[in-house]
Amino acid sequence: MSVSTPGRARVGRPADRAGARRATTLAFAAQGMSVAAVYTTVPAVTEHLRLSPLLTTATLVGVALTAGAGSFLGLAAVRVAGPVATMRGALVTIAVALTLVGWAPGTATVICAYVLFGLAAGALDVGINTRGAAIERAYGRSVFGSFYTAWSVGGVLAALLTAGAARLDRPVGESLAVQAGVLLVVAVCLRTHTLPTTQVPYGQPPLERGLWLRILPFGLVLLIVYVVDSTVSAWSSVYLRQTLDASLTVAPFAYAAYQAGTVVGRATVDRLVQRVGTVAVVRTAALVVAGGLAGVATAPSWPIAVLAAGVVGLGASVLAPLCLASAARLRPGAAETVLARLNLFNYAGVVTGGAVSGLLGSTGEFRLAYALPAALAVLVLAGARHFTQPPGTSET
């Protein structure tokens, strides 16, 4: 096995870490768009196909469960074909799934489409995060926040597109078809770039037990983060529609505000880590999330709920990328394995948050669905001390 030295690419191919970063940023944006496209169209799909609240809840929980399985498919694909090829294949599959969701003639078809989306989304998660971890190693400083900024921008654009389509009275299938087309363009445009860093082949030996214990704190924090995220992402549109009497045009605004908050948070997180350290950023973010969720839970009207959702996004946005980056640094040569395992906590949080919120919402207790995660957010404070600095930086 030949190993390149830092600053040099493998023989025969010029190094292009900037190109790799641009391509991966584009893939992150595409994933953010796809997730937003699914979640913000739930009210329209539900009303169009006349799905019961319980079936809608079960379907969204099923998406999270299949995404967990998809992360292992992604791990296998990364080991065989590499992260970039995995990203391409997953994006094409997601585009097909979105089109099927939008034009599904009945319940069975839409459920199959959501399952397909979950599998591909899980695979894409592993591909983009593995590639992102490698790029951060090549840069030698925190850059993960910029990737998730693009993820959030994609989410905002998708939510606004959903709202615009509803405003113009267009079928949900049309807006999802447009977003599927964007994903196909991104898949076609993705290119593989050689990174100027030490290259370690994928598919390392199994991780030792001691390393699993070191991963556990990040997994627990990630679980809480995605309980919060799924509560806002999957159900905020329904919450505005059912509890706060918002129109279908207004219903996606909470998701858009949440993602707008994540854009701001993720655009600044890399600089904040350099300035005040990872631990301080994580602790502050946890308190912001708790306050924002309390605001959503007690909102007297939809504009207040939208504003509070933006605050939640501001705090929650920094936690996932810092979790993933810190965990990947535990074993750089097996980052894809670490991230695939860590994704289990991600989807466990999505399942828990989505199921509990959906069940509470179906019984008319949506406000409680936002109050409970506010208490969980405070528990992130206990896990903050385990977060590590990127190479080349130091805690203050």
Side-chain angles (χ1 to χ4, degrees), residues 150-170:
W151 196 101
S152 299
V153 170
V156 171
L157 293 176
L160 293 177
L161 181 57
T162 300
R167 178 67 176 174
L168 296 173
D169 246 352
R170 305 310 302 169

Side-chain angles (χ1 to χ4, degrees), residues 273-367:
V273 165
Q274 298 287 334
R275 181 171 298 180
V276 303
T278 308
V279 173
V281 172
V282 170
R283 287 174 176 163
T284 302
L287 294 175
V288 171
V289 169
L293 286 171
V296 175
T298 59
S301 60
W302 69 260
I304 303 299
V306 168
L307 180 62
V311 174
V312 176
L314 184 65
S317 61
V318 307
L319 295 173
L322 292 180
C323 253
L324 294 166
S326 293
R329 284 193 288 273
L330 294 176
R331 184 77 175 272
E336 81 287 357
T337 304
V338 171
L339 293 172
R341 298 303 188 271
L342 201 59
N343 264 351
L344 294 179
F345 293 93
N346 170 343
Y347 297 120
V350 173
V351 169
T352 303
V356 172
S357 299
L359 290 173
L360 288 172
S362 65
T363 60
E365 298 293 338
F366 254 133
R367 293 187 184 277

Side-chain angles (χ1 to χ4, degrees), residues 77-108:
V78 166
R79 287 174 171 173
V80 172
V84 177
T86 301
M87 288 151 58
R88 288 195 200 103
L91 284 170
V92 171
T93 306
I94 289 173
V96 172
L98 290 181
T99 304
L100 288 175
V101 168
W103 297 108
T107 302

